Amino acid sequence: MAFGYARRRRDEAQDASREPFREADPLARFAYVEPAEEDPPETHRHGEHCACGLRGE
Amino acid sequence: MSHAHILGFPRIGARRELKTAVEAHWKGQLDEAGLRAVGRELRGRHWALQQAAGLDCVTVGDFAFYDHLHNATALFSAGPARFGLGGHMDLADYFAMARGTPEQPALAMKKWFDTNYHYLVPEVDAGTRFRLNRDWLLPELQGAQAAGYRAKVVLPGPLTWLWLASAPAGFDKLSLLPALLPVYAELAAELRALGVAWLQLDEPILSLDLPEEWLAAFPRAHAAIAAVAPPVLLATYFGSVAVHAALLKALPVAALHLDLVRAPRQLEAFLPDWPQDKALSLGVIDGRNLWRTDLARVLALLHPARALLGERLWIAPSCSLLHVPTDLSLEEKLDPALKSWMAFAVQKLDELSVLKRALEQGEPAVWRELQAAAQAIQSRRKAPSTHVAAVRARVAALKPEDAERAAPFAQRIAAQQAVLNLPKLPTTTIGSFPQTAEIRAARAAFKAGRLGEDQYIAAMQAEIRHAVEKQERLGLDVLVHGEAERNDMVEYFGEQLDGYAFTQFGWVQSYGSRCVKPPVIYGDVSRPAPMTVEWSRYAQTLTDKPMKGMLSGPLTMLFWSFVRDDLPKQEVALQLALALRDEVVDLETAGIKLIQIDEPTIREGLPLKKAEWPAYLDWAVRAFRITAAGVRNQTQIHTHMCYSEFNDILPSIAALDADVITIETSRARMKLLEGFAEFRYPNDIGPGLYDIHSPRVPAQAEMQELLQRALKVVPAERLWVNPDCGLKTRGWPETEAALKIMVATAREARAALN
């Protein structure tokens, strides 16, 4: 019980210590968010690759 | 002191921040200043990580908004003339060349050596001029120096940049070296004046089989630069450069980097008589894979090197960390034991730090870290998932006949034709049909738990019905189910195989803003249940025409994954082959009479040095044949390969013994077929009749001309009619229009033959 309580307090403290950093993090708003649908497959042609070879989301 | 450094850091950001920012910029939602601010922040973060790990310098020049080779092209104002910029490039020009414009196609893109990263191919010709553009690289250096970092600047070496460029036929790219070197020298002198600690020039082409004249150019090229530069580190990676040891020892550079992960034995060619005035950088942490380093093993290698080299010993990852994901600590869903076996880029910095302290302060100083690493290595060695007795026994029991079909091709094709009764020049497609927004939304909703399994299956079955109806209306001879249920040709299968794991943030850059999250093969691979059978079985119930089953081959599953490093690749390939063989046999049992095993990567897997090709091709071909050989003669095995120069490996392509091979040839206007004809390729061929990369619908005369070209070199009874590749990137309107013409073309040619 005591251990659980201590751990929760520690986790809360860590979360609290992270929050200001998160808010101040200028990159936070650029973290990629998966779209509601998957990224469309690549359609423009590049060099030697066909639809199988040139992969990436 | 032991100098610790990295050759480069992944630029995309732990949460793909660069992707978001670049794509927002392209959409007009983020201006250039905003995009540059994101770049600055990412670079600053990556340098801070290097500093925190105690590295002796931070690496500047590894960042790019699209591609680092393209950055060098911009730095030297070497953009192709067709863009009409006189070579000069600002950020908008940089993206225009990377992505194409309404008037000009994008620069070609090629695989970066044998990695899954793609670079933009510079274009050079006799008119190419070079001029230093100080808007590139130097502001990044100023940023690092203003933040107080000791900077090592990295650039592609002049010979690697030239080698990788494309040029008109007959033009000697090396003739541009005298014009390029002064610009390198101008930049190098400026870097020295700015107090740059080191200049790292990457010359990975040294791992290839280089012509003599290119090798001969190294001393004069690097002498010209080194004379005015900060101390130069010449970086080699991706293979052994032992054969060039004499040349490299004599180069006027201050340090040399060797990849000891890919080629550990090459150290013997350098260490004993390494020049007293040069440092030797040993790449001992795998920059290509995500496994935790066996630090004890590495230290056993480093201690003798340290005894010989003293402070001239540098330590580093084997190559740039560009090829590994950024930060393992973000992973919240990985099994804890499996997670403890891994190290992403941030964790590899920690490993480097431990090695450095162990060398400088002695191993007791990092006892705790070494213990943790040893425990993880032990845990991995002992994990039941890495040694599944049944899988090992099955591989061990493989016999030569397991890689052989029951009868030779001539007998098989006759048996197949008796069952399939196909017309001459049979028409088919490669497998996928348009992945519409509805399909992608349904898959995403199912993945996120917003769509139940029954609803998902019903949605996918509706898509299959849709695809089958369209194909029947079009009059195709061999149908496919359309692969609506497949997100990716590796991930789909990996998710259903034992021995595979998936990360949440294990993204690595593929090209530009696009990333891949390769599955991780961590254990022995087996197939707990059929993976594609129900979809194919359902599709076959909808039509009397033959339905082709479709799966990815063992080599593709291997090369597009992070593969375990505790088992030879060929062993993993055999495990995959056996798992996929079971799928092939189950498809046959379910009544599927044609089964396609896609292997777009067979050429990608070729070693960089030609001398190593036969050994690779031997096990690669065997893995494919084992996958295919479990079926009866009547079942027709197809394979599909993308556009590649196959001519130099045609004996191996023939040795696959697929009944039908479909290849991408329309862009080269069937030229590829000449090699098949000269070789007298014995089995059936389906050369792509139209390019699927654009929505353009070719005229029937155009397709007929290509088909007639094919008929000149391939006997009609061996020839199939199909598009170049899968149609997942296309919309339905152009797909239907093009296939209608393709079927009409085949019928017209058939009538003429009859």
Side-chain angles (χ1 to χ4, degrees):
Chain A
M1 186 79 174
F3 173 72
Y5 176 71
R7 190 172 61 182
R8 196 175 74 228
R9 286 292 299 271
R10 191 194 63 201
D11 290 348
E12 284 168 359
Q14 282 182 348
D15 283 348
S17 70
R18 276 202 293 261
E19 272 318 308
F21 173 72
R22 223 181 267 161
E23 280 169 17
D25 180 358
L27 287 182
R29 75 186 174 97
F30 291 101
Y32 189 75
V33 179
E34 299 289 346
E37 63 180 51
E38 294 171 4
D39 284 353
E42 182 61 27
T43 52
H44 78 274
R45 173 170 132 182
H46 257 304
E48 68 197 29
H49 292 284
C50 75
C52 306
L54 192 59
R55 305 162 70 243
E57 295 172 31
Chain B
M1 285 284 286
S2 283
H3 191 101
H5 72 117
I6 59 169
L7 275 61
F9 196 81
R11 57 184 77 117
I12 201 77
R15 294 181 186 272
R16 287 181 290 163
E17 292 89 345
L18 187 60
K19 172 184 176 65
T20 311
V22 166
E23 291 178 358
H25 178 66
W26 291 342
K27 288 178 199 156
Q29 296 162 352
L30 181 69
D31 63 16
E32 183 174 328
L35 177 61
R36 289 192 182 279
V38 172
R40 269 197 304 279
E41 186 63 33
L42 281 168
R43 290 193 297 272
R45 196 159 291 195
H46 301 159
W47 293 331
L49 285 165
Q50 293 168 54
Q51 170 109 331
L55 303 196
D56 292 275
C57 51
V58 300
T59 300
V60 177
D62 53 351
F63 181 83
F65 284 117
Y66 201 100
D67 161 48
H68 56 274
L69 204 75
H70 195 41
N71 272 38
T73 303
L75 178 66
F76 301 129
S77 308
R82 63 187 173 90
F83 283 89
L85 302 164
H88 182 86
M89 288 160 70
D90 60 18
L91 192 63
D93 305 326
Y94 172 91
F95 284 137
M97 291 181 197
R99 307 179 70 217
T101 66
E103 296 78 31
Q104 286 294 334
L107 296 186
M109 194 177 277
K110 280 193 174 173
K111 282 173 76 73
W112 180 246
F113 297 84
D114 56 355
T115 74
N116 286 323
Y117 176 80
H118 303 82
Y119 68 93
L120 288 169
V121 180
E123 293 174 18
V124 297
D125 55 33
T128 300
R129 300 286 177 268
F130 302 100
R131 196 175 61 254
L132 187 61
N133 181 343
R134 291 180 170 76
D135 294 340
W136 294 89
L137 181 67
L138 293 168
E140 294 178 17
L141 172 63
Q142 283 152 12
Q145 292 185 320
Y149 294 119
R150 185 167 183 260
K152 176 188 67 174
V153 168
V154 57
L155 278 175
L159 289 154
T160 287
W161 188 89
L162 274 178
W163 177 268
L164 296 177
S166 70
F171 178 71
D172 175 17
K173 293 185 286 186
L174 205 48
S175 67
L176 290 174
L177 187 62
L180 179 58
L181 285 179
V183 189
Y184 264 93
E186 182 185 358
L187 175 66
E190 202 156 324
L191 296 179
R192 180 148 89 179
L194 288 167
V196 166
W198 283 88
L199 172 59
Q200 173 189 320
L201 292 172
D202 286 359
E203 295 282 19
I205 59 166
L206 284 161
S207 296
L208 308 175
D209 297 316
L210 282 183
E212 267 310 311
E213 62 271 25
W214 282 79
L215 283 170
F218 270 85
R220 69 184 148 103
H222 284 277
I225 299 169
V228 292
V232 170
L233 161 69
L234 183 86
T236 69
Y237 41 84
F238 299 152
S240 174
V241 292
V243 67
H244 308 310
L247 170 86
L248 292 168
K249 285 173 199 168
L251 278 187
V253 296
L256 175 72
H257 175 82
L258 300 173
D259 180 343
L260 293 190
V261 173
R262 270 293 177 88
R265 295 195 57 191
Q266 65 173 328
L267 185 58
E268 296 159 17
F270 292 91
L271 191 56
D273 57 348
W274 185 243
Q276 291 294 323
D277 61 339
K278 298 183 198 304
L280 193 58
S281 168
L282 304 187
V284 288
I285 290 171
D286 196 345
R288 296 276 299 266
N289 214 332
L290 45 60
W291 302 108
R292 193 167 182 163
T293 307
D294 184 343
L295 295 177
R297 189 188 54 77
V298 168
L299 280 169
L301 181 145
L302 288 177
H303 283 309
R306 168 94 169 161
L308 274 169
L309 296 170
E311 293 192 358
R312 292 180 296 128
L313 169 67
W314 290 20
I315 51 172
S318 56
C319 59
S320 169
L321 296 172
L322 177 67
H323 311 290
V324 293
T326 303
D327 189 359
L328 180 65
S329 72
L330 295 178
E331 298 294 330
E332 291 171 336
K333 294 182 181 170
L334 276 177
D335 172 82
L338 176 57
K339 188 174 172 182
S340 78
W341 306 345
M342 294 180 175
F344 291 2
V346 170
Q347 289 68 39
K348 286 174 191 281
L349 293 179
D350 293 338
E351 292 183 332
L352 205 50
S353 168
V354 173
L355 290 174
K356 178 178 163 71
R357 282 182 287 148
L359 289 173
E360 289 176 352
Q361 301 163 26
E363 292 185 17
V366 286
W367 177 82
R368 203 179 298 273
E369 290 88 342
L370 294 178
Q371 278 292 105
Q375 276 168 12
I377 300 293
Q378 273 302 100
S379 141
R380 190 175 167 203
R381 274 191 198 131
K382 289 184 176 166
S385 57
T386 62
H387 296 83
V388 179
V391 176
R392 297 293 172 110
R394 210 175 157 201
V395 170
L398 276 169
K399 298 184 288 294
E401 55 265 36
D402 292 324
E404 300 289 338
R405 299 286 299 270
F409 172 74
Q411 285 178 39
R412 293 198 312 260
I413 200 74
Q416 290 158 15
Q417 183 57 9
V419 174
L420 296 169
N421 195 27
L422 293 170
K424 262 186 193 161
L425 308 176
T427 54
T428 189
T429 60
I430 303 303
S432 61
F433 272 121
Q435 297 250 321
T436 59
E438 293 75 29
I439 293 176
R440 287 182 278 116
R443 267 204 316 254
F446 178 52
K447 200 171 161 189
R450 297 191 305 273
L451 194 67
E453 190 174 355
D454 291 347
Q455 293 164 292
Y456 173 72
I457 290 172
M460 293 300 113
Q461 287 183 336
E463 292 295 340
I464 292 171
R465 277 198 304 278
H466 180 64
V468 170
E469 283 163 14
K470 282 196 186 291
Q471 292 172 87
E472 289 210 306
R473 266 205 304 277
L474 286 161
L476 286 153
D477 300 309
V478 171
L479 311 194
V480 297
H481 79 284
E483 301 181 15
E485 79 289 1
R486 298 187 195 174
N487 43 359
D488 175 274
M489 61 188 294
V490 174
E491 192 172 343
Y492 177 79
F493 292 94
E495 280 171 346
Q496 300 181 75
L497 290 169
D498 283 348
Y500 266 90
F502 292 82
T503 60
Q504 291 166 272
F505 297 97
W507 295 98
V508 288
Q509 193 178 9
S510 172
Y511 65 97
S513 68
R514 297 278 177 148
C515 303
V516 288
K517 187 153 63 73
V520 181
I521 302 177
Y522 69 92
D524 285 348
V525 177
S526 60
R527 186 198 67 144
M531 302 180 284
T532 66
V533 174
E534 284 313 310
W535 301 115
S536 290
R537 193 204 308 266
Y538 173 73
Q540 186 67 84
T541 64
L542 304 172
T543 179
D544 293 332
K545 293 220 171 153
M547 179 64 56
K548 185 165 59 166
M550 221 74 60
L551 65 159
S552 299
L555 306 172
T556 302
M557 295 297 297
L558 188 76
F559 292 124
W560 287 349
S561 302
F562 282 120
V563 186
R564 59 192 296 187
D565 61 355
D566 58 346
L567 200 63
K569 271 192 177 151
Q570 50 267 51
E571 287 290 311
V572 182
L574 290 177
Q575 293 182 2
L576 281 160
L578 285 169
L580 296 167
R581 176 186 173 105
D582 293 345
E583 185 73 10
V584 172
V585 169
D586 281 351
L587 280 167
E588 180 188 61
T589 307
I592 303 301
K593 298 180 178 68
L594 306 92
I595 300 162
Q596 180 174 302
I597 304 165
D598 289 329
E599 282 295 22
T601 68
I602 188 163
R603 206 178 197 297
E604 289 183 24
L606 280 173
L608 296 177
K609 289 190 173 65
K610 219 161 182 174
E612 296 164 18
W613 286 16
Y616 157 73
L617 288 167
D618 191 47
W619 64 257
V621 167
R622 182 169 176 237
F624 181 91
R625 290 175 64 116
I626 288 169
T627 308
V631 291
R632 295 172 303 149
N633 290 335
Q634 292 89 329
T635 299
Q636 190 165 77
I637 295 293
H638 289 225
T639 188
H640 170 67
M641 291 173 192
C642 299
Y643 180 76
S644 282
E645 277 303 332
F646 289 124
N647 292 354
D648 47 0
I649 58 165
L650 267 175
S652 300
I653 300 293
L656 296 176
D657 200 24
D659 297 308
V660 183
I661 181 173
T662 54
I663 49 175
E664 192 188 0
T665 49
S666 74
R667 277 186 281 165
R669 302 188 58 73
M670 300 287 164
K671 195 155 175 52
L672 205 57
L673 278 187
E674 292 168 10
F676 278 78
E678 277 169 31
F679 178 74
R680 297 182 182 277
Y681 181 79
N683 301 10
D684 282 15
I685 311 178
L689 213 56
Y690 76 91
D691 179 11
I692 58 88
H693 293 86
S694 87
R696 182 175 167 271
V697 178
Q700 189 166 328
E702 201 177 318
M703 283 204 212
Q704 192 60 260
E705 192 208 330
L706 285 184
L707 185 52
Q708 294 305 319
R709 278 176 186 241
L711 277 165
K712 280 188 186 142
V713 287
V714 179
E717 60 276 15
R718 298 273 75 84
L719 195 60
W720 284 63
V721 171
N722 45 262
D724 255 349
C725 193
L727 296 157
K728 66 181 177 187
T729 58
R730 298 269 55 90
W732 270 112
E734 71 260 22
T735 296
E736 282 186 276
L739 289 177
K740 195 174 167 186
I741 294 172
M742 189 187 85
V743 170
T745 305
R747 286 179 178 163
E748 188 178 49
R750 240 176 249 158
L753 287 170
N754 291 333

